Structure formats: structure tokens, C-alpha cells
Amino acid sequence: MKAAEREVPDVHFTVDKQNISLWPQEPPPKSAPSLAMRQTPTIRAALICLSLFLVVSVVLQAILYPWLMGTISDVKTNAQLLKVCVDNISNLGSEIKKNSGDVEAAGVQIRMVNVSLGRAHSQILMLKTSVEKANTRIQVLTESWEKVDDLNAQIPELKREIDKASAFNAKVRGLQSSLENISKLLKQQSDILQMVSQGWKYFRGNFYYFSHIQKTWYSAQQFCVSRESHLTSVTSESEQEFLYKSAGEVFHWIGLTKAGSEGDWYWVDDTPFDKVQSVRFWIPGEPNNVGNNEHCVNIKVSSLQSWNDAPCDNKYLFICKRPYIPSEP
Ligand SMILES: [Ca+2]
């Protein structure tokens, strides 16, 4: 039994790639293929490949030839288009060359325009500065105008004050005028009082001096001249009345005389003699020029009709007359 047991071969397990085999004891040795058997599949494969290559070549030629021919045609067309483009570019170069002069002129104009733009820019800056100054000025004027508005608002009140001042000034001027008139009256009264104190009488703007001694007509006139006066003239009824009443019943020489027996009557103080108006002052029947020697006139009686012509050498009292001339204050 034991020997039988020993004659049972051992089992071996081997793995060759994807094959699993079971052999007793050990796997059979691998027998090596012959060279001819190994070369036959290779040749076959080569032939198959060559055949495939030929087939593919033929197929490709059949497919690619039309495509290549189309491509060649397209290349030719593109070449012609390219030639046209080159010609156009050549023409364009010629045009550019022709227009180069215009381009230069345009460049000059562009530079001129740039200069003008620079000037315009400078002017714009100046204008901007001017505008800023003007704005500042406008602001100042606006503030001034607001002040003017304030002043305008005060004008009505000022006008009322001015009206009051004007009324006050008018009153002051009136008072000044009154004071001046009073001053003149006071000065006139002072002058009159001074003359009265020296023996003169005042009547309606004239001073009259009634003498206390008798003189001939000429001597009396000389006395009056020495007192800045003349023998009196008579130019109105009121004056005549004042004179004959002041003379009383005493003869007084007056300033009426004539140059010789044939001369016309005249006033010695150069007052024009009104012959017609003076008729009422003669004593009736006078002047009678008695003895052709009566060339001077006196007030003889206390009456409106008081004049009488008498010899100039007679000595009578006399009346001097001086116009009142207000002296400067
Ligand atoms: Ca007479």
C-alpha cells in the first residue's frame, strides 16, 4: 500500500498567462516552434499590410485627386486675385505718391491750424480770465447795488428831512430879510436923527435945512453947496405944502431962477422944471419981473400959491434940500 501510495504522482499547478493547467508531478516542457512556422505569420502580416496599403493608396487617390485638383484651381484663382491686389496696391502706391504733395500741403495747413488753435486757446484763457474778473466785478457791483437799494429805501425819509430843512431855511431867510430891513430902518433912523440933530428936517426921502440968517440968492446957494445940498426944488403939492408951512410967514429963497430977463426958469439942483404943473404955486399975478430985475424966486406967504420973483441980491432966509441917500451899513 505504501508502495502504491508512493507510485501516485505528485500534482503540480502552473499558470501560463491565461491558461491554467494541472499536470502530475511537473508540467510538460514547452516545445519551441520551428523557424519556418514562426516566419509564416510574419510574411502574411506583411503581405496583408502591403495589400492594405495599396488599397488605401488607391482609395485615397480616388478621393483626394478631385480635392487636390479643386485646391489647385482655388490656388490659381487666389493667385490671380493676389495679382489683382498687387496691381491695386501698385496703383495705390502711385496714387499715394501723387497725393504726397497734397499730404504735405495738408500737413502745413494742419500745422497752421495747430498754431491757430494755440492762439485760440490763449485767447480762450484770456477770455476766461476776463470772465473771472467780470464775475468779480459783477459781484462787487451787486453788493454796491444792494447798498444803493438800502440808500434808496432811506431816500423818502431823507426827502422829508430835506423838506423840513428847506422850510426851516425859508423861515431863516425870511427872518434874515426882516432883520436886514430892520437894520436898514434902524440905520435910516440913525441917519435921520443925526441930520435932525444938526438942524435938518426930514420929509419923504429928503432933508431940508431952514436957515436962521439971511443971504442973497447966490450966497444962500453957496452955503447949501457947502452942506452937500442945493436951494430947494419943488416937485409936488405935498412938498409945496410942507415948505410953506415950515417957512411960516417969513420970506425964504428957493432954488428956482433964470438966466437973465429973457431966460427960462430952471431948478438949480438940475431937477427938470415943469412949467405947467408949477403955475398953481405962483402968487396970482406973479411972476411979474418988476423992473426987469426979478430973476430969483422965494416963498413969500404961507399958502399953496406962495411963489414970487424978486431981485437975486435981496437977502432972505433960505431953504436947502439934500436927498436922503442911505449909507452902507
Ligand atoms: Ca415979483
Side-chain angles (χ1 to χ4, degrees), residues 267-298:
W267 293 110
V268 72
D269 61 0
D270 293 332
T271 298
F273 178 69
D274 190 336
K275 186 176 180 180
V276 175
Q277 291 293 326
S278 298
V279 169
R280 53 186 168 166
F281 300 145
W282 290 102
I283 295 173
E286 300 295 341
N288 54 7
N289 194 16
V290 175
N292 198 24
N293 192 33
E294 296 183 333
H295 307 315
C296 295
V297 177
N298 61 357

